[in-house]
Amino acid sequence: MFNTSCIEIPAQLMQNNYIAEFRLESTLQELSLYDFQVEATDLGSKIAQMLEAYPLLPGVILTDMGLFAGMISRRRFLEFISRPFGRELFLRRPVRALYRFAETETLIFSSDTLIVDAARKSLQRSQELLYEPIVVQTSPHTYCLLDVHELLVAQSNIHELATKLLRQQTQAQLIQTEKLASLGQMVAGVAHEIRNPVTCITGNLEFLSKYSQDLMDLLSAYEKIVGTNEEIEEIKERIEFDFLEEDWAEILKSMKVSAQRLTELVTSLHTFSHMDETQRKEANIHECIDSTLLIMKNRLKYGIKVVRNYGKLPLVRCYSGQLSQVFMNIISNATDALEELKGKTGFVPAITIETELIESSETNYMSAELIQNYVKGDRENSPHLSLVSINGQPNSEAVEKNQNHGWIAIRIADNGPGIPPEIQRRIFDTFFTTKPAGKGTGLGLAITHQIVTDKHQGKLNLHSTPGTGTEFEILLPII
């Protein structure tokens, strides 16, 4: 036993910020940090007495004239003290002498480091250093020790939390997917039921127009043969025959336009309803976009200008119904953003939709570096992209996915308030939403990202500047 009466015990060896529940974003400052320090000129017996008095102390911080010099762990200290003549060599001499032998590579983190990141890097150390405590810098000149056991326990708790959240997210996505599939089937059924009477109306309008013209011709011929008749003139005046003759044609014309509009709407609903597709089918991307805009016309008609700059695109093998869902989610978010600026003097809300074919050379492969340059806006220098990995070797996975046919680019931009950088980092996270409770589910863009990247092996890129606007860029491989 060592005598501890000669050592001044610090009032607080530990910054105990421990909390029972962790978050995925929990940092090292939320764990128990030990701040016992010794000067390099202190005797080794001071460390021995302190370790005996505080069994949980993982080690000590070594300072030289008040500045951080290193760390001596409990394990390393006891290892050297237990050696032959270790007590005589190290307990009665300055700590500096012991540190020359016990010094090891020290892992230092700032206090705002995520627990999961610190745990991962800690486990990457060599086996002899695996259980050495970690140094945590809480301020420019303040260092504390963290027991690696407590770090791993916290990491295990966070892993359990992440597993639970992932299970909840997966369940919510399955429910949402099932709901969309059921909705798609219902919409498809409704569209089919509406299509039959609409087709009947549209087909018979031509005959009705012809029959009405024949009746008018007959009345005109009858007047010429019979001549004027007082009783007939009275009836014509009562029914306002002259106005009826002019308005009849206009009524038929408006009925034709309405029937055509209803036919387009039914076609759009039918296109949009293909949510449960199991196989890719060739589809016209522009028709998918137009169908989505037609369905959303009620939201877009209040002063929002929609500009369509379509390039020449080939038919694309895709899940057209799911892509329509992607377009709807992005346009709906753009509409919500523009509504925030409603009433601003001189502001004209606008949504711009552009499409473009990015050709690839038949003899080259798509370069990851080139596609990143394209995504970042260097489109002039990347009109023709090749499928090459960053190291210059052919990328077999990219070749298999893209078959040297190029990419389709769809860009949907708005001139709204833009998205702050801190939100951009989480924009595709499941359940993340900035909308009020009850208005947003936090699943729209997460599902959008999944449809583009997982279902179509494409890319979904976000470009946004606060105060300027937001652009979502969808890149689909042509396969």
Side-chain angles (χ1 to χ4, degrees):
M1 297 289 290
F2 292 100
N3 181 16
T4 61
S5 60
C6 62
I7 297 180
E8 181 181 354
I9 306 297
Q12 186 178 6
L13 282 176
M14 184 172 59
Q15 299 176 352
N16 193 357
N17 295 327
Y18 179 81
I19 56 175
E21 295 184 359
F22 291 101
R23 299 166 289 108
L24 297 181
E25 302 84 10
S26 291
T27 60
L28 296 180
Q29 60 191 349
E30 299 177 32
L31 300 177
S32 300
L33 304 178
Y34 300 84
D35 61 358
F36 178 65
Q37 302 179 1
V38 295
E39 270 287 330
T41 55
D42 290 339
L43 297 180
S45 59
K46 182 176 181 180
I47 299 179
Q49 295 176 29
M50 188 55 61
L51 293 179
E52 184 176 1
Y54 292 88
L56 295 180
L57 191 64
V60 296
I61 297 291
L62 181 64
T63 59
D64 189 3
M65 300 180 65
L67 299 178
F68 175 78
M71 174 272 298
I72 301 178
S73 68
R74 173 186 288 269
R75 185 178 68 88
R76 296 285 289 174
F77 179 81
L78 295 178
E79 176 187 340
F80 281 91
I81 293 300
S82 61
R83 292 180 179 180
F85 305 104
R87 293 171 181 266
E88 290 77 7
L89 286 174
F90 300 119
L91 294 184
R92 299 173 183 176
R93 302 178 67 184
V95 177
R96 183 183 290 109
L98 172 62
Y99 188 66
R100 292 195 186 102
F101 294 93
E103 180 180 4
T104 60
E105 182 180 350
T106 304
L107 192 60
I108 303 177
F109 293 113
S110 63
S111 60
D112 59 354
T113 303
L114 294 178
I115 291 177
V116 290
D117 291 341
R120 185 180 69 254
K121 293 178 181 178
S122 174
L123 292 174
Q124 291 173 350
R125 295 183 293 179
S126 59
Q127 189 166 356
E128 60 270 16
L129 300 177
L130 197 57
Y131 296 102
E132 289 290 289
I134 295 170
V135 177
V136 179
Q137 185 177 9
T138 58
S139 68
H141 301 292
T142 304
Y143 295 84
C144 301
L145 283 184
L146 170 63
D147 190 350
V148 71
H149 172 72
E150 183 174 350
L151 174 65
L152 295 180
V153 170
Q155 192 269 346
S156 176
N157 291 336
I158 293 176
H159 177 73
E160 184 178 351
L161 173 64
T163 303
K164 181 179 178 181
L165 290 176
L166 183 61
R167 191 182 302 114
Q168 292 175 348
Q169 292 175 2
T170 302
Q171 184 179 9
Q173 284 190 338
L174 287 174
I175 293 174
Q176 184 76 0
T177 302
E178 184 65 26
K179 185 187 296 183
L180 289 174
S182 301
L183 179 63
Q185 294 174 357
M186 183 185 70
V187 170
V190 172
H192 179 73
E193 292 299 323
I194 296 176
R195 184 188 294 272
N196 290 334
V198 168
T199 303
C200 177
I201 294 172
T202 305
N204 288 322
L205 275 176
E206 290 295 331
F207 295 106
L208 182 60
S209 178
K210 184 177 183 303
Y211 295 162
S212 63
Q213 186 60 48
D214 291 341
L215 288 175
M216 290 297 179
D217 293 341
L218 176 61
L219 288 175
S220 179
Y222 182 80
E223 276 191 343
K224 290 180 181 178
I225 297 172
V226 176
T228 59
N229 182 281
E230 184 177 341
E231 185 176 351
I232 293 178
E233 290 297 327
E234 184 178 338
I235 294 174
K236 288 174 64 176
E237 185 177 350
R238 177 164 51 83
I239 65 174
E240 298 182 343
F241 179 77
D242 293 339
F243 172 77
L244 186 149
E245 187 176 11
E246 295 177 1
D247 196 44
W248 181 262
E250 296 298 324
I251 289 175
L252 288 175
K253 187 184 299 183
S254 65
M255 289 176 66
K256 287 181 181 178
V257 173
S258 298
Q260 184 178 0
R261 169 102 164 79
L262 193 54
T263 301
E264 292 173 355
L265 183 58
V266 170
T267 303
S268 298
L269 287 174
H270 188 267
T271 301
F272 185 79
S273 65
H274 294 162
M275 298 300 300
D276 55 347
E277 294 171 307
T278 57
Q279 293 183 344
R280 294 173 182 256
K281 297 179 182 178
E282 287 191 343
N284 187 319
I285 295 295
H286 295 157
E287 288 183 0
C288 291
I289 298 174
D290 292 340
S291 297
T292 304
L293 290 174
L294 186 60
I295 293 174
M296 299 188 66
K297 189 169 184 179
N298 186 60
R299 290 200 64 189
L300 297 172
K301 66 183 181 181
Y302 296 108
I304 298 179
K305 181 181 179 182
V306 178
V307 180
R308 282 174 273 200
N309 298 323
Y310 291 164
K312 188 175 182 181
L313 301 182
L315 296 178
V316 180
R317 289 182 59 81
C318 62
Y319 303 98
S320 61
Q322 296 184 19
L323 282 183
S324 296
Q325 179 68 38
V326 168
F327 301 146
M328 176 170 285
N329 288 342
I330 295 177
I331 295 172
S332 178
N333 282 341
T335 304
D336 291 339
L338 292 172
E339 287 179 351
E340 295 179 11
L341 302 179
K342 186 184 296 183
K344 184 178 179 181
T345 305
F347 176 70
V348 179
I351 296 176
T352 303
I353 304 174
E354 298 179 353
T355 62
E356 181 183 2
L357 173 63
I358 308 172
E359 298 179 357
S360 65
S361 172
E362 295 181 359
T363 57
N364 294 329
Y365 301 104
M366 179 71 73
S367 165
E369 184 176 0
L370 285 175
I371 193 67
Q372 286 302 321
N373 288 339
Y374 181 86
V375 167
K376 292 176 182 177
D378 191 8
R379 295 163 185 154
E380 294 182 359
N381 298 327
S382 316
H384 298 281
L385 304 176
S386 60
L387 296 170
V388 183
S389 61
I390 294 178
N391 61 7
Q393 298 299 321
N395 186 330
S396 58
E397 182 180 358
V399 172
E400 181 180 351
K401 288 181 179 179
N402 297 287
Q403 297 294 313
N404 304 328
H405 294 308
W407 295 69
I408 294 292
I410 305 112
R411 291 183 284 273
I412 302 175
D414 65 70
N415 60 344
I419 303 174
E422 60 272 14
I423 295 180
Q424 292 183 35
R425 289 190 289 269
R426 303 185 58 193
I427 196 72
F428 298 121
D429 291 354
T430 307
F431 297 121
F432 177 76
T433 180
T434 58
K435 297 178 182 178
K439 187 175 182 181
T441 63
L443 289 171
L445 287 179
I447 292 176
T448 295
H449 187 268
Q450 183 182 22
I451 291 173
V452 174
T453 58
D454 294 347
K455 287 285 189 178
H456 294 85
Q457 290 77 50
K459 299 176 183 289
L460 180 59
N461 304 298
L462 168 65
H463 313 286
S464 183
T465 303
T468 302
T470 301
E471 178 185 88
F472 284 91
E473 181 174 51
I474 304 165
L475 296 173
L476 301 176
I478 304 176
I479 57 176

